[in-house]
Each structure stands twice: as C-alpha cells, then as structure tokens.
Amino acid sequence: MKLLISTLMLTAAINMAAVSITSPSGSLRLDVSTDSLGTPIYSLDYKGKTLVSPSRLGLKADEVAFTDGFSVTGIDTVTVDRTWQPVWGEYANVRDHFRELAVHMKAANPDRYLTVRFRLFDDGLGFRYELPRQDNVNYMTLRDESTQFNFTGDPTLYCIPGDYDTDEYLWSETKASALPEALASYKRHNESQRSGGNMVQTPMLLQSPDGVYVNIHEAALVGYPAMLINVDPSTAAMTTDLVPDRLGVKAYLQLPFNTPWRTLIVSDDARDILASQLILNLNEPCKIEDTSWIKPMKFVGVWWEMFTGKQKTWAYSDDYRAKPGITDYDALKPNGRHPANTANVKRYIDFAAKHGIDGVLVEGWNQGWEDWASYRKNRQFLFDKAYPDFDVDTIRDYAASKGVKMIMHHETAANAADYERQLDAAFRFMKDNNYDAVKTGYVGAIIPRSEHHTSQWMVDHVRHVIEKAAEYRIMVDSHEAPRPTGLCRTYPNWLAQESARGGEFESMGGNPPSHTCILPFTRLKGGPMDYTPGLFETRLSYYNEGKSDQAGTTIARQLALYLTMPSPMQMACDLPENYERFPDAFQFIKDVPVDWADSRYLEAAPMRYITVARLDKNSDDWYVGAITDENAREAIIDFSFLPKGKKYTATIYEDAPDAHWKDNPQAYRILTRTVTSKTRIKQHIAPGGGTAIRLTPAK
Ligand code: NOJ
Ligand code: CA
C-alpha cells in the first residue's frame, strides 16, 4: 500500500481561495472554496472542461444550520493506492486509488464545526459531511441536505421517479428539460408515496451535452435516509433531497456523525461506468471476520408458479379470516392450489440435485398469507410456523440427503416492526432446520406507519437484519428494501437485493429489452440484483389462463443475463418442466459461475446494448454475455482479453437468424468453434435477444 500524506494547516487567508486537487491520472480536477456568505462550494472539471459548475454544500436542522458563515480552518490531503479482495464479486482484486481532501470548517454563533471529506478517483468523486463531536451541537433534527450538482446545458437523464417507497419502475430516457413530462407519465404504485418537484431516485445516469456520462448515487447509506435528486429542468442544476418520515423529518442525528458518501462516477466511455468500483471502494471493509460460510449460489424455487397465471397461491387456504398462530390451520379447508407443499418441494429438490443447482427457495411455506392477500392493515406472518402441507423436518432431511441447500422466504408484507420482534426466533428456526440463506420482502406500506421504504428508520431496520443475520451465519437476498449503496462490501452476507423492477414483471406487463440494458448503468452500481433470469417459457399465454403477457426477451438473451446482471445469488427462475423442454440451453445455466476473477466490458451504450467478458473465479474458463434492446445488432466480440497463444473452445448460445423477442423468442442455436486472443467475431443478436458464450481452454 502506498500512502502519501501531507497536512496543511492554513490560516484564515484560505477563505475565498480555492483548494484544488486532481485525480491520480489528472483526468478530474476538484476545486473547493467558500463563497462571500461562507457557504462551502465545490466544482469539478473533467479532461479540462467544466462538468459540475460551482455548487453549494450544506445541511440544515431544526436546531442549527451548517449552510453558511464558514471559514476554512485547515485541510488534510492524502493519496492512497491499495488493493482489496472482495469475498465475491466481479473482480478478485479491486484497486482503491484516490486523492483525498478533507476541508475543516468553522462557523460562529454558536461555534460549530464541519468537515467535508472528498475522495477523487480517476473514475469519479465521492464526498461526505462529517459532523465531529462538538460543544454546541449534540443532536440534529435534519430538515434538509442542500448538496448541489450544478450540471449545465440540457443533459440526457436515465431515471425513475423520486418515490419514497418503490423503485420497481421502468426507466425514462429524457432530456432534463423534458423531465416534468416524463415524470407525469408514471402511474403511482399501490401504497407508495412520491415526492413533489422534479424528483428522481439514485442511482441515476446522465450524459452531458459533451458526451460525458455521470452516474449519481451514494455509498455506505447507514443511519440516514436515502437520497433523492431534484432536477431543475431549465438549468440542469440538481439539488439533493432526502426521503422524509411522515412528519417530514429527514433524519434524527446524534453527533458525531458522518453522512453517506455522495458519488459521481464519471467517464466519456460508457464501459467505464459499468466497470467502476468506486461505490464499493467508498464503503468500509468487511466487518465479518470469518467469511468461510458465505457461499455464492444458484437456485431454483417454488416461485414462478405463482406468477404464471395458473392461479397458484402463496396462501394455503382461501379463507381470508385465517389468523396466523391463532387459527388452527389443520381445520382450514386447503385451496388445493398451494405449491409450497412437501411433494412439490421434493420435486424441486430432485431437480436441483440432478442438475447441480445449489439451492431451492420456497415461497408460501409459512402462516400468514391469507391475511396478506386480503391487504388487511394488520398483517402479520409467522416465521417459525409452517403450513400443514409443508413438512419442515421431511424437507430438511430430504434436501440434506440430496446435498441441496434450502432457502427460506420471509415476506414481511412491510410489517418491519413485527419482523424485528420475531427476528431471533426466525433465524434460530432457520438454523435449526438447516437454512443458511433467506429471501426477505417488504410488499405494501411500511409498519410503523410513520415510515417509508427508504426513510432513515427502514435504512436502520435493514442493516439491523443484515447484522443479525451475520451473527447467525445467514446470507440475505432482500426485496423491496432501500436501494443498495455498496454495503455488501462491509456485509458480504448481503448477497443480493431486488430494489428495482425485476423479472417478475414479465408476468405483469413485461420488461422491454432496453430495461436490462440500463439497470447495469444505474441500479447495479449499488450492488448485485436478484433479477431472476432464466425465463425459457416467455409467453404467459402458454399457461392458457387468458394471459397475454409476453416477456421482452429471447431464450438466448436470458442466458446472457447471467453475465450482464452478475449476482452471487442467481436464480434459474423458470419451472423445472420448462427447463426439461430445452435441456441444451439449460446446460449454460448449469455451467455459468456466479463469482468472478475478472471482468471486461467490451461494448456498452445505456439502454441500447452491453457486451461483457468474465473470468470464472474457480477455473480458467471465460464467459461472454451480450444483449441488445428491441433492435437487432451485430456485436463485435474481440477476444483479445484471452491469454496470448492459448486456444479456447467457444460454445456459443445465440439467437437463430429468425429469432425475435415478440414472435419467435425460443429460436436459438448452439455452435462451437475454436478461438484465440486474435479472434474477432461479428455476432448477430436478434431484436430483444442476446448471446452467451462459454470459453474453455482447448485440450
Ligand atoms: C415481491 C418479490 O419481489 C417477489 O419475488 C415475491 O415473490 C413476492 N413479493 C411475494 O413475497
Ligand atoms: Ca418486488
């Protein structure tokens, strides 16, 4: 590790004069100063041109304001160059190389102190507010964070509405000036609340008129609400807002306190945005000492059955008056459409064992779904009480005998308060029955009613769940939780999150092919997504229940998603019987790893296409995945990432020449050929299609 430290204690003369640092290669330059009112100001240049023009920094609480009247009392700078090894991820080694500038400030009446710490990387900027322990400020009822990002011109934005409760939206691609119309076109989700203004969520992506891409997000969201961005459509000036509780308070802070990092990932090459590890770098190192029990995995599940239109239910009974733990479930009339039953679960276990899939998820196994289905306001689940037709002991022993891991499901129906009360009992029940992983969910309006899905209380709740899970050596995949901000570095048992519109929407209107061409630029910068790829039966009409939904994909594209949507907890979402219909294509899902030694982004354009190559962490095999939007395209796959002089056998899973997401999604071909680092191919991809390639060293 190289560490260069220089400390400058400056006199009052520093006021007004800018302090500047450049990123290690010099591509980015940061200037920090205070204006005539003593408001902290920063600006950012990229390759010699202004990217962010002078922008204000500040926090405002009921008790005190940290917005103006500041003078700089000192600065610290340091250059850090170090490499760390994630427990799992896209890279075996991650380089963390930045120049840091800490600006210490003081304001009077009453005396108060603020440090803004900046880290300038070659691929972007992170900064946070640090409120040290101080005599005149003990706690803050935070009303506002007025961090500005003053972009100029009329950038193109890739964004979703600034909803407090859900991120399960399709993405807009809009000029900043047309953002109001884009936002007005969104329908409000059931039980969610959206802010006013031209508010969008992060991560968001923009492209400046000069062609520079910027991903705006945050890192290490802990003890603070999620950030929103309010865009001024006429100037492209952006100001942060924070998700409030229902009293309108943004956060209750006790000093000392450091806010999350505000992050800008910057490059004029779209591929760099995908490759950036800036958000992980700004998170704290792993807090779990022994990580040997954290194991990336693939899984199948009793899940898609409930979405296909076959009228299968999570609930055991249709009696909505059933009350978990009170009603005698044995006396209830089963509805006969409940797939979380012992025989069906055994079928999934057999399928997983036969095909070397690590785990089986079962949804609808526990008491409470009758209540949930009715959307009653007092909903509750029991996390240690199974339905009568789900035999916990038999399933535990059967799965163990087949070498398959069971994954538990905890749908809380957003009753987070009750989940906290049950958490210890729930996790003990899991361990007693040999479950090492849980999928959590928060569908509905949050209980306590004072809160939103992404307010400070829920951010704390989810971290509490993750820490508690780590104590029990449990891995977590959370759905409907606050969007990820790289905390999976600190808590690598947090394998995946949903926190975006996932594959489930293929049965609820569909996801256009462009959707998975934007998620890696936006949502995925915070951490892996449980997108649930692997859909082979893409026509919901197949199930003959009057459904007309058509997934925005071909089969070959579903295979490519295992590369373009990397996750250490990756589902094969379709029904076993659908995989049995296409065994040669399913072979790719069986083979594809979920943990990588290296990744190379070969081609990328937001909302249009992505081509990526990855090296398996546990072998010498490389894999390539390429996807396009609703337009056909010829991907250029340049194999120069392969080691020189070595031959590889490429097994190529591609769209057939006449494949099309809309009317011919199941037409694919599997070809093999030999390639070397000198090979370059033009690969046809169908509208809404994709290509997946496995490369094994030739014998
Ligand atoms: C929403 C989740 O995203 C989905 O995966 C799950 O099946 C349902 N909630 C029911 O818990
Ligand atoms: Ca969901």
Side-chain angles (χ1 to χ4, degrees):
M1 176 167 92
K2 279 179 270 167
L3 208 67
L4 277 166
I5 304 188
S6 61
T7 304
L8 301 169
M9 289 304 293
L10 298 176
T11 61
I14 188 168
N15 257 357
M16 315 305 293
V19 193
S20 323
I21 55 168
T22 56
S23 67
S25 77
S27 60
L28 282 163
R29 178 194 148 115
L30 170 76
D31 290 277
V32 184
S33 62
T34 53
D35 70 7
S36 56
L37 298 174
T39 298
I41 302 279
Y42 78 98
S43 60
L44 189 65
D45 289 3
Y46 176 66
K47 294 190 176 169
K49 279 192 178 166
T50 302
L51 182 66
V52 180
S53 57
S55 297
R56 283 202 308 264
L57 300 165
L59 299 167
K60 208 158 141 192
D62 284 348
E63 299 79 8
V64 67
F66 285 86
T67 46
D68 53 13
F70 281 106
S71 51
V72 175
T73 57
I75 62 170
D76 295 317
T77 60
V78 57
T79 299
V80 173
D81 188 359
R82 59 193 169 197
T83 299
W84 57 279
Q85 286 73 38
V87 175
W88 45 259
E90 293 185 75
Y91 302 88
N93 297 293
V94 178
R95 186 172 180 195
D96 184 20
H97 188 197
F98 59 87
R99 293 231 168 92
E100 181 175 283
L101 168 67
V103 182
H104 309 294
M105 287 171 274
K106 181 185 170 184
N109 297 324
D111 280 359
R112 53 204 191 276
Y113 301 88
L114 170 69
T115 294
V116 185
R117 189 174 302 276
F118 298 88
R119 287 188 179 170
L120 194 56
F121 303 78
D122 286 328
D123 59 353
L125 171 68
F127 61 88
R128 70 178 182 193
Y129 300 95
E130 298 182 356
L131 299 160
R133 194 182 297 281
Q134 45 195 288
D135 289 344
N136 297 318
V137 190
N138 183 14
Y139 60 86
M140 290 167 66
T141 310
L142 194 71
R143 292 284 171 181
D144 206 11
E145 179 193 316
S146 45
T147 303
Q148 290 184 327
F149 307 101
N150 286 333
F151 294 97
T152 50
D154 192 7
T156 302
L157 311 183
Y158 301 85
C159 57
I160 56 175
D163 198 304
Y164 300 158
D165 288 290
T166 184
D167 31 40
E168 299 190 9
Y169 288 113
L170 290 175
W171 289 73
S172 284
E173 177 180 11
T174 174
K175 288 283 177 195
S177 54
L179 181 64
E181 293 86 78
L183 291 178
S185 71
Y186 283 90
K187 277 213 302 266
R188 211 171 65 83
H189 267 237
N190 192 20
E191 298 197 321
S192 76
Q193 190 179 321
R194 218 190 274 170
S195 57
N198 293 302
M199 206 75 84
V200 298
Q201 294 184 40
T202 72
M204 68 165 291
L205 182 75
L206 68 81
Q207 188 179 24
S208 76
D210 298 340
V212 182
Y213 293 100
V214 184
N215 172 295
I216 308 175
H217 192 33
E218 56 183 321
L221 173 59
V222 174
Y224 204 74
M227 181 172 86
L228 299 167
I229 303 282
N230 199 3
V231 180
D232 180 340
S234 56
T235 61
M238 303 186 189
T239 310
T240 57
D241 201 344
L242 302 170
V243 174
D245 65 14
R246 287 183 197 264
L247 295 174
V249 175
K250 308 293 175 53
Y252 304 86
L253 304 178
Q254 188 80 38
L255 273 48
F257 184 81
N258 297 338
T259 69
W261 297 90
R262 277 61 192 96
T263 60
L264 303 175
I265 304 172
V266 180
S267 179
D268 52 14
D269 184 334
R271 297 173 301 177
D272 296 342
I273 304 292
L274 298 177
S276 174
Q277 300 295 293
L278 181 145
I279 288 175
L280 288 179
N281 277 330
L282 287 169
N283 273 272
E284 297 294 319
C286 179
K287 280 198 177 160
I288 301 171
E289 228 165 84
D290 173 10
T291 57
S292 59
W293 52 276
I294 299 173
K295 298 210 166 67
M297 66 172 111
K298 275 178 282 190
F299 66 103
V300 288
V302 176
W303 181 72
W304 190 240
E305 290 188 48
M306 282 84 98
F307 287 87
T308 54
K310 278 182 173 171
Q311 309 305 329
K312 300 279 180 68
T313 62
W314 282 266
Y316 167 74
S317 161
D318 287 342
D319 187 343
Y320 293 150
R321 287 158 307 171
K323 283 233 186 337
I326 298 171
T327 309
D328 179 359
Y329 271 87
D330 289 311
L332 280 182
K333 192 168 167 286
N335 65 17
R337 292 176 283 113
H338 179 236
N341 64 72
T342 307
N344 194 38
V345 172
K346 278 181 155 179
R347 186 172 72 95
Y348 276 82
I349 294 171
D350 288 340
F351 178 80
K354 178 174 165 197
H355 295 289
I357 302 289
D358 308 288
V360 173
L361 164 76
V362 183
E363 297 201 3
W365 69 276
N366 63 325
Q367 297 180 14
W369 289 89
E370 288 76 9
D371 194 41
W372 182 71
S374 71
Y375 268 93
R376 279 202 223 143
K377 294 303 172 197
N378 244 341
R379 47 199 182 239
Q380 193 199 25
F381 286 87
L382 294 183
F383 301 107
D384 56 357
K385 293 275 181 305
Y387 280 135
D389 59 348
F390 182 90
D391 185 333
V392 176
D393 296 356
T394 302
I395 288 165
R396 175 195 60 219
D397 297 344
Y398 193 71
S401 76
K402 296 270 174 171
V404 170
K405 298 301 295 184
M406 296 302 298
I407 301 167
M408 191 158 272
H409 184 223
H410 289 169
E411 174 57 65
T412 66
N415 192 343
D418 184 59
Y419 191 40
E420 289 191 8
R421 283 192 285 272
Q422 294 192 54
L423 206 51
D424 268 299
F427 286 164
R428 217 171 304 118
F429 180 78
M430 281 182 62
K431 294 312 274 194
D432 288 349
N433 292 293
N434 210 17
Y435 290 74
D436 296 334
V438 65
K439 170 178 168 182
T440 59
Y442 297 88
V443 174
I446 295 293
I447 301 174
R449 284 284 179 244
S450 52
E451 301 307 325
H452 290 291
H453 278 76
T454 54
S455 60
Q456 181 190 28
W457 190 92
M458 269 304 282
V459 168
D460 284 343
H461 163 80
V462 177
R463 191 178 47 119
H464 172 66
V465 170
I466 299 300
E467 285 180 342
K468 180 67 80 183
E471 281 171 31
Y472 283 87
R473 302 195 155 203
I474 286 173
M475 295 171 276
V476 183
D477 164 17
S478 42
H479 282 224
E480 297 91 28
R483 41 197 174 270
T485 59
L487 282 168
C488 56
R489 174 180 178 187
T490 313
Y491 305 105
N493 64 318
W494 203 348
L495 288 188
Q497 287 191 238
E498 186 187 42
S499 298
R501 181 173 162 122
E504 66 192 18
F505 277 87
E506 299 290 19
S507 73
M508 299 183 281
N511 288 340
S514 57
H515 186 57
T516 35
C517 295
I518 187 62
L519 287 173
F521 285 98
T522 52
R523 158 66 184 79
L524 264 58
K525 296 321 298 173
M529 176 169 177
D530 179 21
Y531 183 77
T532 70
L535 192 62
F536 279 14
E537 186 42 78
T538 56
R539 303 155 301 160
L540 275 290
S541 60
Y542 174 81
Y543 303 100
N544 286 325
E545 299 275 341
K547 280 222 167 200
S548 59
D549 306 73
Q550 169 69 50
T553 183
T554 63
I555 284 186
R557 179 200 191 79
Q558 288 293 309
L559 304 180
L561 291 180
Y562 288 86
L563 284 309
T564 59
M565 302 284 288
S567 172
M569 190 164 173
Q570 200 73 287
M571 193 174 198
C573 73
D574 215 327
L575 312 179
E577 53 269 39
N578 288 338
Y579 290 132
E580 308 279 14
R581 288 163 57 207
F582 305 97
D584 55 352
F586 186 56
Q587 185 62 43
F588 184 84
I589 297 181
K590 292 163 68 168
D591 292 337
V592 69
V594 287
D595 194 13
W596 306 100
D598 199 3
S599 297
R600 309 286 172 84
Y601 287 93
L602 308 180
E603 301 181 304
M607 223 120 167
R608 302 282 179 274
Y609 56 84
I610 295 171
T611 305
V612 63
R614 301 191 194 274
L615 172 61
D616 181 13
K617 205 182 223 173
N618 300 305
S619 77
D620 294 330
D621 294 355
W622 281 86
Y623 287 77
V624 176
I627 57 172
T628 180
D629 60 8
E630 27 285 283
N631 302 302
R633 106 171 264 272
E634 308 295 315
I636 306 293
I637 304 177
D638 181 337
F639 289 91
S640 57
F641 56 83
L642 291 172
K644 305 233 153 8
K646 276 182 90 173
K647 280 189 181 156
Y648 283 78
T649 304
T651 309
I652 304 174
Y653 300 74
E654 62 176 25
D655 296 314
D658 58 348
H660 193 295
W661 72 270
K662 196 153 185 62
D663 45 35
N664 199 15
Q666 292 172 329
Y668 62 86
R669 297 195 306 203
I670 303 172
L671 320 169
T672 53
R673 60 176 287 178
T674 302
V675 300
T676 70
S677 64
K678 291 196 179 123
T679 311
R680 229 178 114 135
I681 62 173
K682 231 189 202 175
Q683 177 65 44
H684 172 74
I685 304 180
T691 302
I693 305 177
R694 180 184 187 190
L695 296 149
T696 50
K699 303 247 157 60

